[in-house]
Structure formats: C-alpha cells, structure tokens
Amino acid sequence: MTRLEWVLRAVPPHGPQAHLLGHWNPTRPADITAGRRGLSAAVHDGARPPAATEDAVERLLLAFEELVSNAVRHGQSPVRARVTATGHSWLLEVTDQAGSRPPTTDDERDPALGGLGLDLVASLSGAHGWEPLDDGGKVVWARLDYTRTQAPSRR
C-alpha cells in the first residue's frame, strides 16, 4: 500500500443538512468496540442514507475503529469521537489532547499483528486530515463518501 500522508487540513464544514449519528468518549479498548457496535446499530437502525451501500457502512466502521483506537493508544485523554452524516458522506472526527503530535503512519507496521493503520483509513476516505485545536488538542478527521462507487480519491 502506498503511504498516504496525514496533512494539516481543517475539518470540512458540516453543511446545513448534517446530523449527528453519535458521539463517544472512549478511554480503553473495550470502549472502542462498544463505540463501533453503537455506530453500526445507529446506521442499521434508520440513520443509514438510502444511497449508502453496505460496503460504505463497512468502510465507515473500519475507519472509526482505527482512528479511535489510534487516539486511545497514542493520544492523550480525553478522547472524543463523533460521526456526522452530511449530504453525501459521513464525517468522522476524533479529538485528543496530544496537539503537538500529528497522526503518523508506520511504514513497518504489519496489519496482521493488529490494527489497520492510518494508511488504510486514508485510502478509504474521500478526504482526510488533522488540525490543532485552540485548547492544545487536535482533531483527526476522515470524510467517507457513501455515494461514491469507485475507489476514493487521495486528497
């Protein structure tokens, strides 16, 4: 897989039709699993847009698990995650208090040993990035386009 950089880029605006699917405050690995299950339940219990395929839902769940896991393992608490549905995509935002440490991919990481890696999230996303916050934290985000049928662009 080609390494995809996580560049400094502001979170995209939510837009007027955006609605919150859920938010989580994970502190340990079990919370990540519970959050993924809760997000899956929300999407399968009526919050799934008609244009979103099951493949798109799976991409969202994979991205959620990886970004939240990365923040819990490598960030500083508190960690917060939220998913918002917009007109054509889901916006996943994960904040932590490690504002001086941008998300960094690991070229030597073997996904078979656990985790999927930030490269996978970047490749699943229509856009991705991170930005520092005024409180000393940072937000890492990924936009997952559920209306896209081909492979996402690498922006």
Side-chain angles (χ1 to χ4, degrees), residues 102-147:
T104 306
T105 59
D106 183 353
D107 292 336
E108 312 241 332
R109 180 187 193 112
D110 181 355
L113 299 177
L116 303 169
L118 292 172
D119 281 339
L120 178 64
V121 175
S123 71
L124 295 174
S125 302
H128 62 280
W130 76 281
E131 71 176 312
L133 300 172
D134 292 339
D135 67 0
K138 72 173 177 294
V139 60
V140 178
W141 61 270
R143 189 193 76 224
L144 295 118
D145 301 333
Y146 54 74
T147 58

Side-chain angles (χ1 to χ4, degrees), residues 19-108:
H19 65 279
L20 184 67
L21 292 182
H23 57 84
W24 301 265
N25 299 304
T27 59
R28 57 197 174 98
D31 297 334
I32 301 163
T33 301
R36 179 183 169 132
R37 287 184 183 142
L39 178 56
S40 178
V43 172
H44 288 102
D45 290 343
R48 178 176 166 175
T53 65
E54 190 60 31
D55 183 55
V57 171
E58 188 58 29
R59 288 192 312 267
L60 171 65
L61 296 174
L62 285 171
F64 176 90
E65 184 173 351
E66 181 57 35
L67 288 189
V68 175
S69 174
N70 196 59
V72 168
R73 288 182 293 120
H74 305 295
Q76 292 176 335
S77 21
V79 173
R80 293 186 179 92
R82 74 182 203 170
V83 176
T84 305
T86 67
H88 67 282
S89 62
W90 290 296
L91 182 60
L92 169 57
E93 299 168 80
V94 181
T95 62
D96 69 44
Q97 289 302 300
S100 63
R101 291 192 309 237
T104 306
T105 59
D106 183 353
D107 292 336
E108 312 241 332

